[in-house]
Amino acid sequence: PAVDENGNLREIWLPGSAPGLSIDALVMAGGFGRRMGERTRDKPKPLLEVGGRPLLEHTLSWLENAQIDHIYVSVYYLAEQIADYMRSRVSSVPHSLVREDKPLGTAGVLSILAEKLHKPILVVNADVLTRLDLPALLEFHAAHGNDGTLAVSPYKIDVP
């Protein structure tokens, strides 16, 4: 359900109500993971395991189970390890690596892909674990004719 600022029902979004939605995804996996200290000295953060699987695997599986046509994975730091991982897995969705010669950030990687992109693209960080209903988000985006849609969640951390 979607409600307005007063809590009144405005819309109901149903899974599968936007057939034919065509979208690609960009997984940002090129960062240094510096805040992880020694854990990421010799291994990129997207390959650190959570629940017995690399963070990247959680993200890729989530995308593969949604309405994604092609997955691009941007790599920079320890890129060959991620490339090896991508070659070793069986994927139900075509995928490509986007190698950064220097850290470019999201806008820089999107500029590399600009000529290849002829449809909406979902951008997600490789180290985000989420249960977001991706088809519902994509349906919301399509139904509202947005140029961009952000999915955010409140997160509070006390830093001493």
Side-chain angles (χ1 to χ4, degrees), residues 24-48:
D24 292 337
L26 169 61
V27 178
M28 300 298 294
F32 292 96
R34 288 189 178 112
R35 290 180 299 228
M36 301 300 292
E38 287 296 310
R39 289 186 176 103
T40 54
R41 187 173 49 110
D42 298 318
K43 181 182 274 195
K45 184 164 61 166
L47 296 183
L48 295 178

Side-chain angles (χ1 to χ4, degrees), residues 82-132:
I82 294 175
D84 289 343
Y85 180 78
M86 294 299 294
R87 281 190 293 271
S88 73
R89 71 185 298 276
V90 176
S91 178
S92 60
V93 175
H95 62 275
S96 306
L97 288 182
V98 180
R99 294 181 183 265
E100 299 175 53
D101 294 332
K102 61 182 180 180
L104 298 174
T106 305
V109 176
L110 287 171
S111 72
I112 291 173
L113 291 175
E115 291 182 13
K116 297 179 183 180
L117 300 177
H118 305 288
K119 61 177 103 176
I121 187 160
L122 171 76
V123 179
V124 62
N125 291 332
D127 60 353
V128 172
L129 295 176
T130 182
R131 292 187 179 150
L132 175 70

